[in-house]
Amino acid sequence: MNTPGTGTIDRPGTRDPRKQDPAMNPTVTEMPAPVNSGAIESRQNRNLEMQLIPEALARAHMHERLHQAESERRGHRLAAARRMQRRAERASLRARRALAMAVMQ
């Protein structure tokens, strides 16, 4: 069948690359560039984008939560300011009454 120095593509006769047929092992520089390298690159970009989707969603969610918290803080400050204003108005009325009572006596 096969002579001692020959082999098949799957099983070369020797493992030493210098003794193998050069046509069976083209070097990297002899190999043509893949035609669809742009497709591979876009697929890698799409994979990267898909991996970053949860991060983008989390960032958007945190931005929304911070915005909501700031809005709630503004509401709390406004309510506290109104409470203090009513308290000051009541104190002012008490002071007026006390002054009026002191003048009347």
Side-chain angles (χ1 to χ4, degrees):
M1 291 200 218
N2 286 342
T3 57
T6 63
T8 63
I9 293 175
D10 294 334
R11 295 176 183 227
T14 176
R15 296 197 185 277
D16 186 5
R18 289 173 292 179
K19 294 182 182 175
Q20 290 179 6
D21 184 9
M24 295 295 175
N25 296 320
T27 61
V28 176
T29 56
E30 294 172 358
M31 299 174 92
V35 177
N36 61 353
S37 63
I40 292 171
E41 186 176 323
S42 76
R43 201 172 312 127
Q44 287 173 343
N45 285 341
R46 186 171 60 237
N47 287 343
L48 178 63
E49 287 172 13
M50 291 182 76
Q51 287 173 358
L52 295 178
I53 286 174
E55 185 179 333
L57 283 174
R59 192 177 295 113
H61 182 69
M62 286 305 297
H63 178 73
E64 180 63 31
R65 296 275 306 263
L66 288 171
H67 190 69
Q68 182 181 3
E70 182 61 33
S71 176
E72 286 179 15
R73 278 194 291 271
R74 266 188 260 127
H76 288 297
R77 283 195 297 259
L78 181 62
R82 285 183 178 158
R83 276 194 308 272
M84 288 189 287
Q85 184 180 5
R86 285 193 300 267
R87 189 179 301 156
E89 287 171 358
R90 284 194 304 266
S92 173
L93 284 174
R94 279 195 307 270
R96 281 179 148 182
R97 274 192 224 119
L99 182 62
M101 293 294 272
V103 169
M104 294 292 247
Q105 290 179 359

